Amino acid sequence: MTAAAGDRGNGTAMEIRLTVNDAERVADVAPTTTLVELLRDHLALTGTKVGCGHGECGACTVILDGRPVSACLVFAAQCRGRKVLTIEGLSASGEADRVQRAFVKAGAVQCGYCTPGMIVSAYALLSSNPRPSRREIEEAISGNLCRCTGYVKIVDAIDGASE
Ligand code: FES
Ligand code: FES
């Protein structure tokens, strides 16, 4: 059952307002609705993925008030009045962000399931540290698991996207 379906049967649903990708959004959520459920099931922003559902894989990484977070660990109600940036927000202009382009150029995408979270983590890193070392890149994506690539091309991509 999706969170949206569950909320309809939950008398404790509450309205929250928040900013997602620079747009004000309103949703009715249950106290137990997570941020990733809000994004995917209520706001149809399915670029953010769900892997483990308990903070281990990084597939659900989004930026909350400027900091990367695992959206499966944050309740939607905690995001009231706050700003969320998702993978969709990185290409809101219709053009791929430089980090996205760098992933394609470096061949850092295989199955792609980890890629949105990986790119969001990389975007957060480069926003605060435009010229990270490879060590700093590895640390920044240490919470993002990839079962396909071996990480070398991912680090190459982020290195290539840095200034
Ligand atoms: S789905 Fe959130 S960390 Fe794995
Ligand atoms: S590309 Fe498949 S999990 Fe990373």
Side-chain angles (χ1 to χ4, degrees):
M1 177 168 52
T2 66
D7 295 346
R8 280 194 291 275
N10 187 329
T12 58
M14 65 185 90
E15 182 182 282
I16 62 166
R17 292 174 184 268
L18 71 166
T19 302
V20 180
N21 301 333
D22 290 327
E24 186 179 7
R25 306 297 299 261
V26 182
D28 290 321
V29 300
T32 54
T33 301
T34 62
L35 174 56
V36 74
E37 289 170 336
L38 168 65
L39 294 170
R40 290 180 56 85
D41 300 339
H42 294 244
L43 304 181
L45 293 169
T46 54
T48 302
K49 304 305 180 198
V50 182
C52 64
H54 51 262
E56 299 289 341
C57 74
C60 64
T61 305
V62 300
I63 297 176
L64 178 61
D65 288 342
R67 300 173 65 96
V69 297
S70 294
C72 68
L73 294 183
V74 179
F75 288 119
Q78 293 175 288
C79 300
R80 183 180 270 134
R82 300 175 73 182
K83 290 187 178 181
V84 179
L85 179 67
T86 73
I87 188 70
E88 289 89 350
L90 269 56
S91 53
S93 67
E95 297 218 349
D97 175 78
R98 68 187 162 123
V99 184
Q100 294 172 307
R101 294 198 304 272
F103 268 63
V104 173
K105 185 177 176 187
V109 180
Q110 289 189 22
C111 82
Y113 203 81
C114 72
T115 306
M118 201 69 84
I119 287 176
V120 168
S121 288
Y123 182 90
L125 169 67
L126 295 175
S127 296
S128 61
N129 180 2
R131 299 186 63 184
S133 66
R134 288 184 75 89
R135 180 67 177 265
E136 288 171 326
I137 293 170
E138 289 168 2
E139 285 176 8
I141 61 168
S142 61
N144 294 85
L145 303 185
C146 177
R147 300 176 68 169
C148 306
T149 66
Y151 299 98
V152 173
K153 289 184 178 180
I154 290 173
V155 175
D156 287 345
I158 299 168
D159 195 26
S162 64
E163 288 179 354

